[in-house]
Amino acid sequence: AQKVTQAQTEISVVEKEDVTLDCVYETRDTTYYLFWYKQPPSGELVFLIRRNSFDEQNEISGRYSWNFQKSTSSFNFTITASQVVDSAVYFCALSEVHRGNTPLVFGKGTRLSVIA
Amino acid sequence: DTAVSQTPKYLVTQMGNDKSIKCEQNLGHDTMYWYKQDSKKFLKIMFSYNNKELIINETVPNRFSPKSPDKAHLNLHINSLELGDSAVYFCASSQASGGTDTQYFGPGTRLTVL
């Protein structure tokens, strides 16, 4: 069965520090997709990135970067030079493909607080 | 232009009442979903529709009934509301249903049952 584990429940950093949010997943499927979503205090869910299981290249988007490692079943998310606006709950999610109509399975989220 | 919209944003009601939450997407997607986020922020799928047809129905009480009048709309009707139904309900949509496409979420509806 598919499962996503975000072991860090809460993280607190001081502005301008770098922070890494961990995500470990379990799946029996060889084809799957991984996602990160951000939920700021206003409550909406904002899509950040989608990565398929065949693409292990790391991705950088501004201050955000993602490290996908199939060998350790991890898809970690790093924010460089954190800002107060990065304060949010971040969710990692997984969807399997071979079974067809599969929903997203979310981790329990990591609450990031960036202190000025 | 709002991609996925939900109404109402807040819903406060008494136990035993019946209520509906509406969802509309203007992305031209074929698949729509309902998720429930509990007080601990855990997100779980409830239903999924592809082109007006129910394709995922997780273990949800019969009191919850989704309805899709067309592929741009997916409404959620809840009968005989209970205290435990208090949560934030998110609608989402994606181009296809096979797990490959990104799901885009609405702003959420916070339901409070008193």
Side-chain angles (χ1 to χ4, degrees):
Chain A
Q2 49 184 335
K3 184 180 176 183
V4 176
T5 301
Q6 295 179 256
Q8 304 149 309
T9 307
E10 293 192 33
I11 300 176
S12 189
V13 299
V14 176
E15 207 172 19
K16 296 184 185 174
E17 283 184 358
D18 299 347
V19 57
T20 295
L21 309 182
D22 297 334
C23 173
V24 174
Y25 62 92
E26 293 176 31
T27 177
R28 294 180 189 171
D29 207 346
T30 55
T31 306
Y32 51 88
Y33 282 77
L34 295 161
F35 301 81
W36 276 93
Y37 286 85
K38 174 182 179 180
Q39 187 173 39
S42 49
E44 70 272 25
L45 280 160
V46 179
F47 164 72
L48 295 178
I49 190 171
R50 179 185 73 168
R51 176 53 50 88
N52 76 56
S53 53
F54 297 108
D55 183 2
E56 284 194 75
Q57 281 201 353
N58 291 333
E59 177 141 350
I60 299 174
S61 176
R63 295 183 298 106
Y64 294 172
S65 62
W66 290 268
N67 184 342
F68 176 31
Q69 293 200 345
K70 285 177 80 169
S71 59
T72 55
S73 297
S74 65
F75 187 42
N76 296 337
F77 172 31
T78 297
I79 302 174
T80 303
S82 59
Q83 299 177 1
V84 172
V85 293
D86 296 327
S87 297
V89 180
Y90 291 87
F91 292 96
C92 182
L94 165 73
S95 68
E96 295 174 335
V97 175
H98 86 278
R99 285 170 47 207
N101 304 317
T102 53
L104 280 175
V105 171
F106 285 86
K108 293 189 176 180
T110 297
R111 183 181 298 276
L112 174 65
S113 298
V114 181
I115 304 163
Chain B
D1 290 346
T2 304
V4 183
S5 59
Q6 295 177 229
T7 53
K9 188 164 174 60
Y10 300 97
L11 188 51
V12 181
T13 188
Q14 299 285 334
M15 260 192 336
N17 284 350
D18 303 339
K19 289 294 178 186
S20 292
I21 306 171
K22 294 186 176 181
C23 178
E24 176 181 2
Q25 55 95 3
N26 63 8
L27 297 167
H29 288 167
D30 286 340
T31 308
M32 296 183 72
Y33 311 80
W34 279 110
Y35 287 84
K36 178 180 179 180
Q37 185 174 45
D38 62 23
S39 58
K40 294 185 178 178
K41 295 285 192 179
F42 185 55
L43 276 155
K44 194 170 179 348
I45 183 72
M46 299 174 69
F47 301 103
S48 174
Y49 270 73
N50 185 56
N51 230 338
K52 302 194 299 175
E53 189 178 327
L54 180 66
I55 55 172
I56 294 175
N57 184 350
E58 292 294 303
T59 310
V60 177
N62 289 341
R63 299 181 295 102
F64 290 79
S65 53
K67 282 190 172 54
S68 182
D70 55 62
K71 73 174 192 176
H73 296 85
L74 180 61
N75 304 324
L76 183 64
H77 188 75
I78 316 170
N79 289 328
S80 304
L81 278 155
E82 300 178 357
L83 293 176
D85 297 331
S86 295
V88 180
Y89 292 85
F90 284 97
C91 177
S93 74
S94 65
Q95 182 58 56
S97 62
T100 60
D101 293 327
T102 299
Q103 293 183 25
Y104 294 94
F105 286 78
T109 296
R110 181 176 293 278
L111 171 65
T112 303
V113 183
L114 303 173

